[in-house]
Amino acid sequence: MSSSNGKLVSAILIGLLALFVLFSFFPLLIMALTSFKSNMQVSLGVFKLPDVIQWENYRRAFDTVVPFALNSIIIAACAVAGVLVVAALAAYAFARYRFPGRETLYYLVIALMMVPAVLLLIPMFKLVVAMGMLNTYAVVILPQIAGGCIIAVFLLRSFFAGLPEDLFESFRMDGAREVRILRSLVLPLSKPILGTIAVLNFHSSWNDYIWPLVTINDKALKPIVTGIMSFSNEYSTDYGPMMAAYVLASVPLMLVIGFAMKYFVDGLTSGAVKA
């Protein structure tokens, strides 16, 4: 009796999970379906299959999004590199150095995670205007680095502090200085957690919409998420090419996540194993 009840519960859970997956992918299916339609076909019904597949939508979308995609790649790559460098140095100092006010400063940094990003929008905008950074790559890269470093420092500091002290002592006995210890010992052991941080920040930078929207008006510098809005104006929206552009825009993100998934999973589980 208990065995049959267990199988029934398992079947129900699997059914619920399958239903959840279906609902999760349903918007993506609608997006892909709409990308093959003309505006006339879209007006006839969102769920209706296209009578004639509009391959022209993807040609128009590709020609439009390529410059924006290059901008997003530059912004995301610089943001990820900046977060990894700054966060690694800061976390190493918090984890391995002893100095007055260390814990207070660390908790002040971590407290920034409790501040909603929307509350920082106006102060940050006034700051970048005063610094003359509007319509530059720096106006989106530097805030991404500043925001990404908070959670990165939190994760890396815990990981660095958990590394065995014997490894550090052996390097110091060989005459290694702190820079070499960080480069040759700490960072190689931290590849999983660094991969996790890189994926999270690449995803955040690639999908960022509000901040680039208010700080970049130059079309040549727009990232892909705001650049796709060129298919829409005050008079009409080309839904087919726009959805095709969203499909193409998701490809680099899926490739990066697929390539780094091993490091991402290892980084999420690394904290569960005590060295």
Side-chain angles (χ1 to χ4, degrees):
M1 189 68 176
S2 59
S3 177
S4 60
N5 288 339
K7 292 181 179 180
L8 179 61
V9 172
S10 298
I12 293 174
L13 290 177
I14 293 174
L16 291 175
L17 289 174
L19 190 62
F20 177 77
V21 171
L22 179 63
F23 281 129
S24 298
F25 280 93
F26 189 71
L28 300 179
L29 178 62
I30 296 300
M31 179 181 69
L33 189 63
T34 306
S35 69
F36 292 107
K37 295 180 179 181
S38 64
N39 276 2
M40 179 62 70
Q41 292 172 334
V42 172
S43 65
L44 295 176
V46 177
F47 305 103
K48 185 178 180 181
L49 294 175
D51 298 326
V52 179
I53 295 179
Q54 303 293 323
W55 297 107
E56 178 69 12
N57 291 345
Y58 277 88
R59 188 195 66 79
R60 287 183 57 193
F62 183 82
D63 293 340
T64 301
V65 303
V66 165
F68 300 134
L70 294 177
N71 291 335
S72 286
I73 290 173
I74 293 172
I75 293 170
C78 292
V80 169
V83 168
L84 292 179
V85 172
V86 175
L89 293 174
Y92 186 77
F94 282 128
R96 311 306 305 187
Y97 281 85
R98 300 290 184 270
F99 55 88
R102 183 187 69 161
E103 294 299 320
T104 301
L105 182 59
Y106 173 71
Y107 286 117
L108 287 175
V109 173
I110 299 305
L112 294 175
M113 289 193 295
M114 295 183 289
V115 180
V118 67
L119 296 182
L120 302 177
L121 187 62
I122 295 178
M124 285 176 57
F125 184 79
K126 289 185 175 181
L127 178 62
V128 297
V129 169
M131 298 176 67
M133 291 197 305
L134 290 180
N135 289 312
T136 62
Y137 283 133
V139 77
V140 285
I141 293 174
L142 295 181
Q144 284 285 345
I145 294 175
C149 279
I150 300 172
I151 184 65
V153 168
F154 173 73
L155 295 174
L156 288 175
R157 194 247 193 181
S158 301
F159 189 88
F160 292 168
L163 294 176
E165 184 64 28
D166 294 343
L167 296 176
F168 293 88
E169 292 299 329
S170 63
F171 266 72
R172 292 190 181 99
M173 290 178 63
D174 291 336
R177 296 186 177 181
E178 296 300 324
V179 175
R180 182 188 168 193
I181 293 175
L182 176 63
R183 184 182 69 249
S184 301
L185 171 64
V186 177
L187 294 183
L189 292 177
S190 307
K191 285 182 179 179
I193 194 67
L194 291 174
T196 300
I197 294 170
V199 170
L200 292 175
N201 282 276
F202 189 91
H203 180 272
S204 174
S205 179
W206 188 270
N207 288 332
D208 191 15
Y209 177 74
I210 296 298
W211 184 248
L213 183 66
V214 300
T215 56
I216 296 182
N217 294 321
D218 188 349
K219 188 176 180 180
L221 297 176
K222 285 186 176 183
I224 194 167
V225 176
T226 57
I228 290 176
M229 298 307 296
S230 60
F231 287 109
S232 178
N233 55 51
E234 57 183 321
Y235 301 108
S236 64
T237 299
D238 292 330
Y239 291 104
M242 178 182 284
M243 293 300 106
Y246 279 121
V247 171
L248 295 177
S250 65
V251 171
L253 190 60
M254 290 189 294
L255 291 176
V256 169
I257 292 177
F259 176 78
M261 183 56 66
K262 177 180 181 299
Y263 295 105
F264 183 76
V265 175
D266 290 345
L268 291 177
T269 58
S270 60
V273 181
K274 187 175 180 180

